[in-house]
Amino acid sequence: MLTQIYVMFFMQYFIPSTAVLLCNTHLSRGLVAYQKNRDVEPFRLTAGRIHAASSHSTVSSSRAASMHWTGERVLSIVLLMDYSIAAALTLHGHWGIGQVLTDYVYGDVKVKLAKAGVLLLSTTTFFGLCYFNYHDVGLCKAVAMLWQI
Amino acid sequence: MALLLRTVARQGLCLSRSQFGVLYRHVVPMGTTANEEMNKFWAKNTRLNRPVSPHISIYKWSIPMMMSISHRGTGVALSSGISAFALAALVLPESYPYYLDLIHSMTFGPQFLAFSKFALAFPVAYHTFNGIRHLAWDLGKGFKIPEVYRSGYIVVALTVLTSIGLAAM
């Protein structure tokens, strides 16, 4: 993987288009590396020193490996997304319901009780969503699956 | 600071007004906080069983009014839905794909499915777009009445279009 990154940095001087790709998110590194595998043959100067891809099977396994690498990064982002969404939704909902309470509930005792109830609900909701993210398919995947019915 | 003054005043430690006047020319120590005043109001009126004057039953409904309460309504509905989902995830024995297959096996018509997707997408879209409208207000933009109505119509139009688009997916 490191060799691929080294070659990519060299490649942007030989093939300007790869420079644009490099500027994108690190997710595209896997794709750039995939592209690099096909471009590397004519540029023996740098490629010969660093990447010894001569046989077809090595190239195709590198392609598979780099796609796997991309898949891993995508999954990390999705997982990050799942938990970020869980946190954002529960916090936003907690504060929102809190405002509704402030508008409609009067009296010190009632307010205290209501706020405690909402806190309990929000905590349980967050815990439930994290449980879902960990043990089940996760929020993003769940929406995607639901929409495919 | 005002709160401190009020507390001091209530406990009878307040010195003569002129002494405070020198330091805080425009601050008058009060006996109660705003919250306490409000609680006193509600306690007294509910105790005396006084009827509340008609307000939402007699005031003419306007688009901004309807959109405002809809923003709250969709917010509460969405929050309840998420809480229900989270609780179900904790309580129900089987996994999500199992229950999804259960729904899938029920062979609902395509129109019903499209409508259900629309019904799910609509509150999310409305709350999101109206939320952006709220954020614009928070930046101080769009408070003129024609602007309020225009942004309101845009939000509704975007909501309908987005919901139809999502339901078609």
Side-chain angles (χ1 to χ4, degrees):
Chain A
M1 187 186 84
L2 262 170
T3 55
Q4 290 170 350
I5 296 174
Y6 287 144
V7 176
M8 269 155 39
F9 272 98
F10 280 114
M11 289 315 291
Q12 69 180 318
Y13 300 108
F14 293 103
I15 303 175
S17 56
T18 53
V20 176
L21 283 168
L22 258 175
C23 296
N24 293 346
T25 65
H26 64 281
L27 275 180
S28 60
R29 270 202 212 125
L31 301 165
V32 177
Y34 165 63
Q35 202 179 39
K36 173 213 59 77
N37 282 325
R38 285 186 291 171
D39 299 334
V40 91
E41 298 302 316
F43 296 87
R44 289 276 171 200
L45 267 171
T46 50
R49 262 195 299 130
I50 295 156
H51 185 86
S54 43
S55 70
H56 179 74
S57 64
T58 320
V59 171
S60 59
S61 72
S62 301
R63 198 174 299 161
S66 65
M67 298 227 67
H68 176 76
W69 185 88
T70 312
E72 282 183 338
R73 308 307 123 172
V74 169
L75 183 64
S76 305
I77 299 290
V78 171
L79 279 174
L80 198 69
M81 200 75 356
D82 278 342
Y83 289 95
S84 307
I85 288 176
L89 284 179
T90 39
L91 191 58
H92 182 71
H94 180 73
W95 282 337
I97 305 280
Q99 288 295 327
V100 176
L101 283 181
T102 312
D103 279 350
Y104 301 139
V105 178
Y106 311 115
D108 288 324
V109 176
K110 277 196 256 181
V111 166
K112 262 202 163 77
L113 272 172
K115 290 247 161 160
V118 169
L119 183 63
L120 182 67
L121 181 68
S122 295
T123 317
T124 315
T125 302
F126 183 63
F127 185 72
L129 289 179
C130 288
Y131 177 89
F132 185 81
N133 282 335
Y134 189 82
H135 291 285
D136 217 317
V137 291
L139 283 171
C140 295
K141 191 85 170 78
V143 174
M145 285 168 74
L146 179 69
W147 233 247
Q148 271 154 20
I149 288 187
Chain B
M1 191 61 231
L3 195 62
L4 180 66
L5 266 176
R6 286 192 212 111
T7 324
V8 164
R10 207 174 333 123
Q11 286 165 0
L13 296 172
C14 179
L15 300 169
S16 76
R17 204 121 167 239
S18 60
Q19 215 163 358
F20 276 100
V22 168
L23 299 168
Y24 308 101
R25 219 174 284 267
H26 303 289
V27 170
V28 177
M30 285 176 62
T32 54
T33 65
N35 207 29
E36 288 171 347
E37 291 283 342
M38 188 186 72
N39 287 336
K40 275 168 63 184
F41 169 86
W42 282 108
K44 177 176 178 181
N45 285 286
T46 47
R47 181 173 46 87
L48 293 170
N49 240 331
R50 285 179 177 168
V52 177
S53 303
H55 46 295
I56 53 174
S57 49
I58 55 162
Y59 205 85
K60 181 175 178 176
W61 281 95
S62 63
I63 301 277
M65 269 171 81
M66 291 191 266
M67 289 189 70
S68 178
I69 191 61
S70 300
H71 190 74
R72 177 160 277 187
T74 50
V76 172
L78 289 169
S79 195
S80 313
I82 293 189
S83 292
F85 178 81
L87 287 170
L90 287 170
V91 163
L92 292 176
E94 299 290 341
S95 69
Y96 182 75
Y98 173 86
Y99 292 110
L100 222 55
D101 282 336
L102 215 63
I103 299 173
H104 191 67
S105 67
M106 286 186 193
T107 61
F108 292 118
Q111 307 95 329
F112 180 77
L113 287 172
F115 177 76
S116 304
K117 287 183 185 177
F118 181 85
L120 278 173
F122 192 86
V124 178
Y126 178 82
H127 195 83
T128 306
F129 289 124
N130 202 216
I132 296 171
R133 187 165 164 242
H134 264 283
L135 289 172
W137 287 334
D138 292 341
L139 289 168
K141 297 175 184 292
F143 275 108
K144 293 202 186 73
I145 293 298
E147 288 170 340
V148 170
Y149 275 84
R150 199 180 311 138
S151 60
Y153 293 137
I154 292 172
V155 162
V156 173
L158 281 172
T159 301
V160 173
L161 290 172
T162 309
S163 304
I164 292 175
L166 286 173
M169 279 169 64

